[in-house]
Amino acid sequence: MNIKTLLANLTLEEKAGQLVQLPPYFFKKEALQEVAGPVQRLKLREQDIFQAGSVLGIGNPQEMIDIQTMYLSKSRHKIPLVFMADIIHGYKTIFPIPLALAGSFSTQNFYKMARASAEEATLSGIHVTFSPMADLVKDPRWGRVMEAYGEDPYLSYHYAYAMTQGYQGKRLKNKDSLAACIKHFAAYGAALAGRDYAQASISLHDFYQQYDAGYRGAVDAGVRMAMTSFNVFEGIPATIHQTLLRKILRKRMGFKGVTISDYDSIIETVVHRVSQDDQDAVRQALLATVDIEMASGAYIKHIPTLVKQGLIDIELIDQAVLRVLKLKKDLGLFQNPFKGAHIEKEKSFPLSAPQLAIAKTLADESIVLLKNHNHLLPLSNQKIALLGHLSNSGALLGPWSWHGNREITPSLHSVLKPFIQSSVEDTQTWSEAFKQQIKLADVMIVMTGEEEKESGEARSKTNPVLADKTIQFIKQLKAFGKPIVLIVTAGRPLVLTPIVDDVHAILYAYFLGSQAAYTITDTLLGKNNPSAKLTMTFPRRVGQIPIMYNHLNTGRPFLGQNFTYTSHYIDESNLPLFTFGDGLSYTTFQFSQFKDASTNDDILLSITVKNTGTKAGYAIVPVYLHQPLAPAALPNRQLVGMEKRFLQPQESQSLLINIDRQFLTYIDDTYQRQPLKGKLSFVTGEETSLLYVHKEI
Ligand code: BGC
């Protein structure tokens, strides 16, 4: 298929159509016949719909085949539709939410999740996923932190890179390859005060220093699509921001693919009061090189007029259409418009044993042990009382899991049942029977936190804390004098300060997906040794937000309460409750022999790690840059490399850690990334026994 020849044969309306994305509903007969549905509201004609280039949000092979067949029968040039959807952490087999998986400190795990997701989702006829979401996040008030990797640029870069590779596979043409879409460009995660869709509250310097890393990772891995964000960035809505999209994304980062707006974000620039009307919004988006418009249909309506009136150069439209046609060609859609869709396999492969096994491994490596007083966990054969409002729920998949089935997702209660001596369900009335049952138990397990609907898009909170009634419940349980294990399911870090001293152990599970209950059970009972580390800092108090490990120093760091004019709060410590990198294990590791082992090409550091405990487990070795002097202020600590290894008890291994040079840089006053020069200091190890390598670069 020669796409340039094809382009030359398209009418202006047909070109505009290629740049439009509509939901599947529009293609249904009923929608076309309805007098008051969205088709009528948008004043779209049947011919407009059958010229649209792509479909949003499908997950059913039969539906895809029907729509494509009907579409091709009506389309003059038979250019296949491309089907796109949000596959964020799995299709039907649901993997841990990205914020949880980030804690596994493993790029390999993100590759695995994306590959396994692509293998399932492509069976439903999806060709593009709106993932990875690589918005750097520091504010747990924002509901979408669950989709992100946390506060660290190095992790964001490498996770977005790995996910892109996992989705896109070896060749995009392969039937199990999904084109990836990096989002939301740019800085959507910096929403002011954590309120969704609010302006990005960062400077251009912050952007280049930290926030651009995830997007760069995906672009470097060859991501085929990029989605603009809803927010205003440096004064202009990102969706019509010419500097952002042309100069930064396409030129500076080298992105070569298709750009797509977020849902209605083009026409929303009218509400931002920077576009006069929808037509003006379309004009501005085109000038910014936004190729596909998601949802509103405004491109179909306004592109032809804009070109005819000379307000938009046809060359701009042609370039956008060519990019869309190239994506369709590279996906192999001209050869097979039904690529991937497989009615039988879509029923049997998702949730099959191998897929669930991947989900289990990833969940095992994502659960975080935050506290374990007197080695309460793992439990041996204590009598368990299982409590808490989420202990009987299968709603453990987390937001953005449209195709996940909560009905068949086991609850903790159903999996832990054989080990529960007294299962206490009546947690409301404190009846005598209830109290009696608790008295029979040796340990109380309380599973609580957030419901699924409390995080995700448009789920911002001013107060990301445990609910008052949960806090009261834990306080009342404390009176029984038995140890309490707290299991928190949530889409964000919650402030745990009010109960942290009342409970003996804390397992932070986030939303672990289809296998959540098995992972929690295995972790409680010691079959899984927890190894994950936090990638978002947990505040002591909401007023500390945003709080992150990689902040700058200030000229007046806190020295103690006697020093008034230093950077501190008078009503709370500067310190978080738990910080980036926190996470315990059932074993202990000793780190030694931290040395420079660089070659001519690579900066390599070697370290010896020994499992000094009695349980096998993963050791995670993060290496941070601590720069005593640099031309620009840098964080006190910045992750620049990591390794992870499974070690048997008493086993010792030497690991080589590759230091990523991209992070040995600073941003100068013209916003250029410059290499750091001179003596660099690398640090790793436990807080109490840090190890350093100093190296001249
Ligand atoms: C979200 C995007 C998502 C899109 C399509 C929007 O509301 O911001 O992340 O990809 O909807 O579902």
Side-chain angles (χ1 to χ4, degrees), residues 55 117 328 381 439 506 520 681:
V55 178
S117 302
K328 292 185 176 185
N381 41 21
K439 283 185 192 147
I506 303 176
I520 297 170
S681 301

Side-chain angles (χ1 to χ4, degrees), residues 56 86 88 130 133 144 147 183-184 188 197 227 230 262-263 294 400 402 457:
L56 157 74
D86 292 275
I88 307 294
F130 296 131
M133 190 279 225
R144 299 190 79 169
E147 288 168 69
K183 68 187 190 186
H184 304 79
Y188 181 40
Y197 317 123
M227 187 187 293
F230 287 119
D262 204 342
Y263 204 105
M294 189 195 291
W400 291 110
W402 309 121
E457 187 174 347

Side-chain angles (χ1 to χ4, degrees), residues 112 393 627:
K112 275 192 215 159
S393 165
Q627 195 48 18

Side-chain angles (χ1 to χ4, degrees), residues 325-387:
L325 293 177
K326 181 166 184 335
L327 176 66
K328 292 185 176 185
K329 184 180 173 182
D330 292 351
L331 278 162
L333 293 178
F334 288 107
Q335 279 140 308
N336 179 9
F338 305 99
K339 179 186 150 165
H342 198 299
I343 295 169
E344 288 80 42
K345 273 203 205 140
E346 194 269 343
K347 292 199 178 84
S348 59
F349 180 66
L351 293 167
S352 59
Q355 290 293 94
L356 288 175
I358 298 174
K360 173 70 166 45
T361 312
L362 299 187
D364 284 354
E365 290 188 42
S366 300
I367 192 165
V368 192
L369 177 65
L370 285 178
K371 179 174 179 181
N372 197 13
H373 185 63
N374 281 341
H375 305 289
L376 173 64
L377 293 180
L379 302 175
S380 32
N381 41 21
Q382 290 100 317
K383 291 187 198 141
I384 297 171
L386 181 61
L387 308 155

